[in-house]
mmCIF file of all heavy atoms in Angstrom:
data_model
loop_
_atom_site.group_PDB
_atom_site.id
_atom_site.type_symbol
_atom_site.label_atom_id
_atom_site.label_comp_id
_atom_site.label_asym_id
_atom_site.label_seq_id
_atom_site.Cartn_x
_atom_site.Cartn_y
_atom_site.Cartn_z
ATOM 1 N N ASN A 125 20.667 -17.247 31.636
ATOM 2 C CA ASN A 125 20.326 -17.781 30.327
ATOM 3 C C ASN A 125 19.411 -16.872 29.532
ATOM 4 O O ASN A 125 19.166 -17.110 28.354
ATOM 5 C CB ASN A 125 19.658 -19.161 30.482
ATOM 6 C CG ASN A 125 20.614 -20.171 31.094
ATOM 7 O OD1 ASN A 125 21.821 -20.089 30.898
ATOM 8 N ND2 ASN A 125 20.056 -21.146 31.829
ATOM 9 N N SER A 126 18.852 -15.847 30.157
ATOM 10 C CA SER A 126 17.931 -14.963 29.451
ATOM 11 C C SER A 126 18.688 -14.111 28.448
ATOM 12 O O SER A 126 19.849 -13.779 28.640
ATOM 13 C CB SER A 126 17.191 -14.060 30.441
ATOM 14 O OG SER A 126 18.124 -13.256 31.131
ATOM 15 N N VAL A 127 17.986 -13.729 27.348
ATOM 16 C CA VAL A 127 18.595 -12.948 26.281
ATOM 17 C C VAL A 127 18.435 -11.481 26.591
ATOM 18 O O VAL A 127 17.369 -11.032 26.983
ATOM 19 C CB VAL A 127 17.935 -13.280 24.928
ATOM 20 C CG1 VAL A 127 18.607 -12.517 23.798
ATOM 21 C CG2 VAL A 127 17.997 -14.778 24.685
ATOM 22 N N SER A 128 19.499 -10.710 26.415
ATOM 23 C CA SER A 128 19.455 -9.280 26.705
ATOM 24 C C SER A 128 18.649 -8.551 25.647
ATOM 25 O O SER A 128 18.518 -9.023 24.513
ATOM 26 C CB SER A 128 20.876 -8.716 26.746
ATOM 27 O OG SER A 128 21.483 -8.851 25.483
ATOM 28 N N PRO A 129 18.093 -7.367 25.961
ATOM 29 C CA PRO A 129 17.320 -6.608 24.972
ATOM 30 C C PRO A 129 18.147 -6.192 23.770
ATOM 31 O O PRO A 129 17.651 -6.149 22.657
ATOM 32 C CB PRO A 129 16.853 -5.382 25.767
ATOM 33 C CG PRO A 129 16.927 -5.793 27.207
ATOM 34 C CD PRO A 129 18.048 -6.751 27.300
ATOM 35 N N ASP A 130 19.445 -5.887 23.980
ATOM 36 C CA ASP A 130 20.279 -5.484 22.851
ATOM 37 C C ASP A 130 20.443 -6.606 21.839
ATOM 38 O O ASP A 130 20.418 -6.390 20.621
ATOM 39 C CB ASP A 130 21.664 -5.039 23.347
ATOM 40 C CG ASP A 130 21.570 -3.792 24.234
ATOM 41 O OD1 ASP A 130 20.587 -3.042 24.045
ATOM 42 O OD2 ASP A 130 22.457 -3.602 25.084
ATOM 43 N N SER A 131 20.637 -7.833 22.367
ATOM 44 C CA SER A 131 20.791 -8.959 21.443
ATOM 45 C C SER A 131 19.505 -9.241 20.694
ATOM 46 O O SER A 131 19.516 -9.613 19.525
ATOM 47 C CB SER A 131 21.229 -10.211 22.217
ATOM 48 O OG SER A 131 20.257 -10.554 23.187
ATOM 49 N N LEU A 132 18.366 -9.054 21.382
ATOM 50 C CA LEU A 132 17.085 -9.254 20.705
ATOM 51 C C LEU A 132 16.902 -8.251 19.583
ATOM 52 O O LEU A 132 16.418 -8.578 18.499
ATOM 53 C CB LEU A 132 15.933 -9.123 21.718
ATOM 54 C CG LEU A 132 15.703 -10.313 22.637
ATOM 55 C CD1 LEU A 132 14.654 -9.985 23.680
ATOM 56 C CD2 LEU A 132 15.301 -11.540 21.841
ATOM 57 N N LYS A 133 17.291 -6.983 19.823
ATOM 58 C CA LYS A 133 17.160 -5.963 18.782
ATOM 59 C C LYS A 133 18.033 -6.287 17.581
ATOM 60 O O LYS A 133 17.628 -6.125 16.435
ATOM 61 C CB LYS A 133 17.555 -4.598 19.356
ATOM 62 C CG LYS A 133 16.536 -4.036 20.334
ATOM 63 C CD LYS A 133 16.980 -2.683 20.842
ATOM 64 C CE LYS A 133 15.978 -2.114 21.852
ATOM 65 N NZ LYS A 133 16.429 -0.815 22.379
ATOM 66 N N SER A 134 19.256 -6.774 17.847
ATOM 67 C CA SER A 134 20.152 -7.091 16.737
ATOM 68 C C SER A 134 19.618 -8.255 15.919
ATOM 69 O O SER A 134 19.702 -8.263 14.695
ATOM 70 C CB SER A 134 21.543 -7.420 17.275
ATOM 71 O OG SER A 134 21.494 -8.563 18.126
ATOM 72 N N ILE A 135 19.061 -9.266 16.610
ATOM 73 C CA ILE A 135 18.520 -10.425 15.894
ATOM 74 C C ILE A 135 17.354 -10.018 15.020
ATOM 75 O O ILE A 135 17.250 -10.403 13.855
ATOM 76 C CB ILE A 135 18.103 -11.524 16.895
ATOM 77 C CG1 ILE A 135 19.354 -12.096 17.585
ATOM 78 C CG2 ILE A 135 17.332 -12.627 16.190
ATOM 79 C CD1 ILE A 135 19.033 -13.001 18.756
ATOM 80 N N THR A 136 16.422 -9.217 15.583
ATOM 81 C CA THR A 136 15.252 -8.792 14.816
ATOM 82 C C THR A 136 15.639 -7.888 13.668
ATOM 83 O O THR A 136 15.064 -7.974 12.585
ATOM 84 C CB THR A 136 14.263 -8.064 15.736
ATOM 85 O OG1 THR A 136 14.963 -6.995 16.420
ATOM 86 C CG2 THR A 136 13.676 -9.011 16.756
ATOM 87 N N SER A 137 16.644 -7.021 13.870
ATOM 88 C CA SER A 137 17.055 -6.133 12.785
ATOM 89 C C SER A 137 17.698 -6.913 11.645
ATOM 90 O O SER A 137 17.468 -6.629 10.477
ATOM 91 C CB SER A 137 18.037 -5.077 13.316
ATOM 92 O OG SER A 137 19.214 -5.703 13.813
ATOM 93 N N LEU A 138 18.494 -7.941 11.988
ATOM 94 C CA LEU A 138 19.112 -8.749 10.939
ATOM 95 C C LEU A 138 18.068 -9.502 10.142
ATOM 96 O O LEU A 138 18.137 -9.579 8.918
ATOM 97 C CB LEU A 138 20.111 -9.737 11.572
ATOM 98 C CG LEU A 138 21.435 -9.137 12.078
ATOM 99 C CD1 LEU A 138 22.226 -10.196 12.826
ATOM 100 C CD2 LEU A 138 22.246 -8.562 10.927
ATOM 101 N N SER A 139 17.074 -10.076 10.862
ATOM 102 C CA SER A 139 16.046 -10.828 10.152
ATOM 103 C C SER A 139 15.218 -9.925 9.262
ATOM 104 O O SER A 139 14.848 -10.303 8.151
ATOM 105 C CB SER A 139 15.139 -11.552 11.160
ATOM 106 O OG SER A 139 14.505 -10.607 12.003
ATOM 107 N N SER A 140 14.906 -8.697 9.720
ATOM 108 C CA SER A 140 14.123 -7.778 8.902
ATOM 109 C C SER A 140 14.904 -7.328 7.674
ATOM 110 O O SER A 140 14.360 -7.178 6.584
ATOM 111 C CB SER A 140 13.707 -6.560 9.725
ATOM 112 O OG SER A 140 14.856 -5.862 10.188
ATOM 113 N N GLU A 141 16.233 -7.123 7.822
ATOM 114 C CA GLU A 141 17.036 -6.713 6.682
ATOM 115 C C GLU A 141 17.114 -7.822 5.640
ATOM 116 O O GLU A 141 17.074 -7.576 4.439
ATOM 117 C CB GLU A 141 18.444 -6.334 7.145
ATOM 118 C CG GLU A 141 18.494 -4.998 7.897
ATOM 119 C CD GLU A 141 19.892 -4.705 8.397
ATOM 120 O OE1 GLU A 141 20.786 -5.538 8.159
ATOM 121 O OE2 GLU A 141 20.082 -3.640 9.011
ATOM 122 N N GLU A 142 17.217 -9.081 6.124
ATOM 123 C CA GLU A 142 17.276 -10.185 5.184
ATOM 124 C C GLU A 142 15.975 -10.301 4.400
ATOM 125 O O GLU A 142 15.965 -10.569 3.209
ATOM 126 C CB GLU A 142 17.555 -11.493 5.936
ATOM 127 C CG GLU A 142 18.988 -11.577 6.472
ATOM 128 C CD GLU A 142 19.205 -12.849 7.276
ATOM 129 O OE1 GLU A 142 18.220 -13.600 7.430
ATOM 130 O OE2 GLU A 142 20.323 -13.089 7.733
ATOM 131 N N LYS A 143 14.841 -10.065 5.104
ATOM 132 C CA LYS A 143 13.556 -10.143 4.418
ATOM 133 C C LYS A 143 13.410 -9.024 3.399
ATOM 134 O O LYS A 143 12.836 -9.217 2.330
ATOM 135 C CB LYS A 143 12.414 -10.077 5.442
ATOM 136 C CG LYS A 143 12.296 -11.336 6.299
ATOM 137 C CD LYS A 143 11.145 -11.202 7.269
ATOM 138 C CE LYS A 143 11.019 -12.463 8.132
ATOM 139 N NZ LYS A 143 9.919 -12.339 9.103
ATOM 140 N N GLN A 144 13.912 -7.838 3.722
ATOM 141 C CA GLN A 144 13.794 -6.728 2.800
ATOM 142 C C GLN A 144 14.653 -6.937 1.561
ATOM 143 O O GLN A 144 14.300 -6.522 0.469
ATOM 144 C CB GLN A 144 14.188 -5.424 3.503
ATOM 145 C CG GLN A 144 13.162 -4.966 4.541
ATOM 146 C CD GLN A 144 13.600 -3.701 5.256
ATOM 147 O OE1 GLN A 144 14.679 -3.188 4.996
ATOM 148 N NE2 GLN A 144 12.770 -3.218 6.153
ATOM 149 N N ASP A 145 15.840 -7.580 1.728
ATOM 150 C CA ASP A 145 16.710 -7.804 0.591
ATOM 151 C C ASP A 145 16.108 -8.808 -0.385
ATOM 152 O O ASP A 145 16.327 -8.706 -1.592
ATOM 153 C CB ASP A 145 18.080 -8.283 1.065
ATOM 154 C CG ASP A 145 18.826 -7.186 1.827
ATOM 155 O OD1 ASP A 145 18.473 -6.011 1.630
ATOM 156 O OD2 ASP A 145 19.736 -7.525 2.615
ATOM 157 N N LYS A 146 15.365 -9.766 0.102
ATOM 158 C CA LYS A 146 14.776 -10.789 -0.752
ATOM 159 C C LYS A 146 13.432 -10.283 -1.274
ATOM 160 O O LYS A 146 12.483 -10.123 -0.524
ATOM 161 C CB LYS A 146 14.595 -12.092 0.028
ATOM 162 C CG LYS A 146 15.909 -12.729 0.441
ATOM 163 C CD LYS A 146 15.676 -14.038 1.170
ATOM 164 C CE LYS A 146 17.007 -14.678 1.567
ATOM 165 N NZ LYS A 146 16.808 -15.951 2.295
ATOM 166 N N LEU A 147 13.396 -10.041 -2.584
ATOM 167 C CA LEU A 147 12.189 -9.498 -3.209
ATOM 168 C C LEU A 147 11.446 -10.531 -4.036
ATOM 169 O O LEU A 147 10.478 -10.179 -4.713
ATOM 170 C CB LEU A 147 12.560 -8.297 -4.089
ATOM 171 C CG LEU A 147 13.257 -7.142 -3.354
ATOM 172 C CD1 LEU A 147 13.634 -6.054 -4.342
ATOM 173 C CD2 LEU A 147 12.367 -6.584 -2.259
ATOM 174 N N GLY A 148 11.880 -11.783 -4.003
ATOM 175 C CA GLY A 148 11.169 -12.837 -4.720
ATOM 176 C C GLY A 148 11.898 -13.274 -5.979
ATOM 177 O O GLY A 148 12.972 -12.781 -6.329
ATOM 178 N N ILE A 149 11.280 -14.217 -6.687
ATOM 179 C CA ILE A 149 11.845 -14.794 -7.916
ATOM 180 C C ILE A 149 10.786 -14.728 -9.005
ATOM 181 O O ILE A 149 9.609 -15.017 -8.762
ATOM 182 C CB ILE A 149 12.304 -16.250 -7.689
ATOM 183 C CG1 ILE A 149 13.364 -16.294 -6.581
ATOM 184 C CG2 ILE A 149 12.858 -16.861 -8.974
ATOM 185 C CD1 ILE A 149 13.794 -17.695 -6.206
ATOM 186 N N LEU A 150 11.214 -14.364 -10.216
ATOM 187 C CA LEU A 150 10.332 -14.290 -11.379
ATOM 188 C C LEU A 150 10.605 -15.472 -12.307
ATOM 189 O O LEU A 150 11.757 -15.762 -12.632
ATOM 190 C CB LEU A 150 10.551 -12.970 -12.118
ATOM 191 C CG LEU A 150 9.727 -12.755 -13.391
ATOM 192 C CD1 LEU A 150 8.247 -12.663 -13.058
ATOM 193 C CD2 LEU A 150 10.187 -11.508 -14.128
ATOM 194 N N PHE A 151 9.546 -16.142 -12.744
ATOM 195 C CA PHE A 151 9.636 -17.296 -13.648
ATOM 196 C C PHE A 151 8.995 -16.913 -14.982
ATOM 197 O O PHE A 151 7.857 -16.439 -15.015
ATOM 198 C CB PHE A 151 8.934 -18.513 -13.054
ATOM 199 C CG PHE A 151 9.559 -19.027 -11.784
ATOM 200 C CD1 PHE A 151 9.218 -18.476 -10.553
ATOM 201 C CD2 PHE A 151 10.490 -20.045 -11.818
ATOM 202 C CE1 PHE A 151 9.788 -18.946 -9.385
ATOM 203 C CE2 PHE A 151 11.073 -20.521 -10.663
ATOM 204 C CZ PHE A 151 10.717 -19.963 -9.439
ATOM 205 N N PHE A 152 9.719 -17.167 -16.082
ATOM 206 C CA PHE A 152 9.218 -16.824 -17.410
ATOM 207 C C PHE A 152 9.901 -17.724 -18.439
ATOM 208 O O PHE A 152 10.838 -18.468 -18.118
ATOM 209 C CB PHE A 152 9.478 -15.341 -17.731
ATOM 210 C CG PHE A 152 10.919 -14.942 -17.675
ATOM 211 C CD1 PHE A 152 11.686 -14.895 -18.828
ATOM 212 C CD2 PHE A 152 11.532 -14.635 -16.466
ATOM 213 C CE1 PHE A 152 13.017 -14.534 -18.784
ATOM 214 C CE2 PHE A 152 12.866 -14.266 -16.407
ATOM 215 C CZ PHE A 152 13.610 -14.223 -17.563
ATOM 216 N N SER A 153 9.421 -17.630 -19.670
ATOM 217 C CA SER A 153 10.010 -18.417 -20.758
ATOM 218 C C SER A 153 10.093 -17.556 -22.014
ATOM 219 O O SER A 153 9.279 -16.647 -22.218
ATOM 220 C CB SER A 153 9.184 -19.679 -21.036
ATOM 221 O OG SER A 153 7.894 -19.333 -21.517
ATOM 222 N N LEU A 154 11.094 -17.870 -22.875
ATOM 223 C CA LEU A 154 11.326 -17.151 -24.124
ATOM 224 C C LEU A 154 11.254 -18.125 -25.286
ATOM 225 O O LEU A 154 11.679 -19.286 -25.185
ATOM 226 C CB LEU A 154 12.693 -16.456 -24.100
ATOM 227 C CG LEU A 154 12.978 -15.526 -22.911
ATOM 228 C CD1 LEU A 154 14.395 -14.971 -23.012
ATOM 229 C CD2 LEU A 154 11.965 -14.400 -22.838
ATOM 230 N N GLU A 155 10.748 -17.630 -26.413
ATOM 231 C CA GLU A 155 10.602 -18.479 -27.601
ATOM 232 C C GLU A 155 10.570 -17.589 -28.835
ATOM 233 O O GLU A 155 10.103 -16.435 -28.764
ATOM 234 C CB GLU A 155 9.315 -19.304 -27.499
ATOM 235 C CG GLU A 155 9.138 -20.316 -28.601
ATOM 236 C CD GLU A 155 7.839 -21.094 -28.450
ATOM 237 O OE1 GLU A 155 7.087 -20.784 -27.511
ATOM 238 O OE2 GLU A 155 7.583 -21.984 -29.281
ATOM 239 N N TYR A 156 11.062 -18.115 -29.953
ATOM 240 C CA TYR A 156 10.989 -17.385 -31.226
ATOM 241 C C TYR A 156 10.264 -18.238 -32.257
ATOM 242 O O TYR A 156 10.621 -19.391 -32.504
ATOM 243 C CB TYR A 156 12.384 -17.009 -31.741
ATOM 244 C CG TYR A 156 12.320 -16.041 -32.909
ATOM 245 C CD1 TYR A 156 12.164 -14.689 -32.679
ATOM 246 C CD2 TYR A 156 12.388 -16.501 -34.217
ATOM 247 C CE1 TYR A 156 12.096 -13.794 -33.740
ATOM 248 C CE2 TYR A 156 12.320 -15.622 -35.287
ATOM 249 C CZ TYR A 156 12.167 -14.269 -35.039
ATOM 250 O OH TYR A 156 12.085 -13.375 -36.087
ATOM 251 N N ASN A 157 9.208 -17.650 -32.844
ATOM 252 C CA ASN A 157 8.418 -18.328 -33.876
ATOM 253 C C ASN A 157 8.962 -17.914 -35.241
ATOM 254 O O ASN A 157 8.751 -16.784 -35.696
ATOM 255 C CB ASN A 157 6.944 -17.935 -33.735
ATOM 256 C CG ASN A 157 6.020 -18.797 -34.576
ATOM 257 O OD1 ASN A 157 6.405 -19.270 -35.652
ATOM 258 N ND2 ASN A 157 4.802 -18.994 -34.097
ATOM 259 N N PHE A 158 9.674 -18.847 -35.901
ATOM 260 C CA PHE A 158 10.315 -18.517 -37.175
ATOM 261 C C PHE A 158 9.301 -18.385 -38.303
ATOM 262 O O PHE A 158 9.536 -17.635 -39.266
ATOM 263 C CB PHE A 158 11.351 -19.598 -37.524
ATOM 264 C CG PHE A 158 12.566 -19.553 -36.645
ATOM 265 C CD1 PHE A 158 12.632 -20.317 -35.486
ATOM 266 C CD2 PHE A 158 13.644 -18.736 -36.959
ATOM 267 C CE1 PHE A 158 13.750 -20.278 -34.666
ATOM 268 C CE2 PHE A 158 14.765 -18.696 -36.148
ATOM 269 C CZ PHE A 158 14.817 -19.461 -34.991
#
Side-chain angles (χ1 to χ4, degrees):
N125 296 329
S126 61
V127 183
S128 63
D130 296 334
S131 60
L132 283 173
K133 288 181 181 178
S134 62
I135 293 170
T136 54
S137 62
L138 286 173
S139 61
S140 61
E141 287 177 0
E142 289 177 358
K143 289 181 180 179
Q144 289 178 358
D145 293 339
K146 294 182 179 179
L147 301 177
I149 301 175
L150 178 65
F151 296 85
F152 58 97
S153 65
L154 306 177
E155 186 180 3
Y156 191 82
N157 192 328
F158 289 92

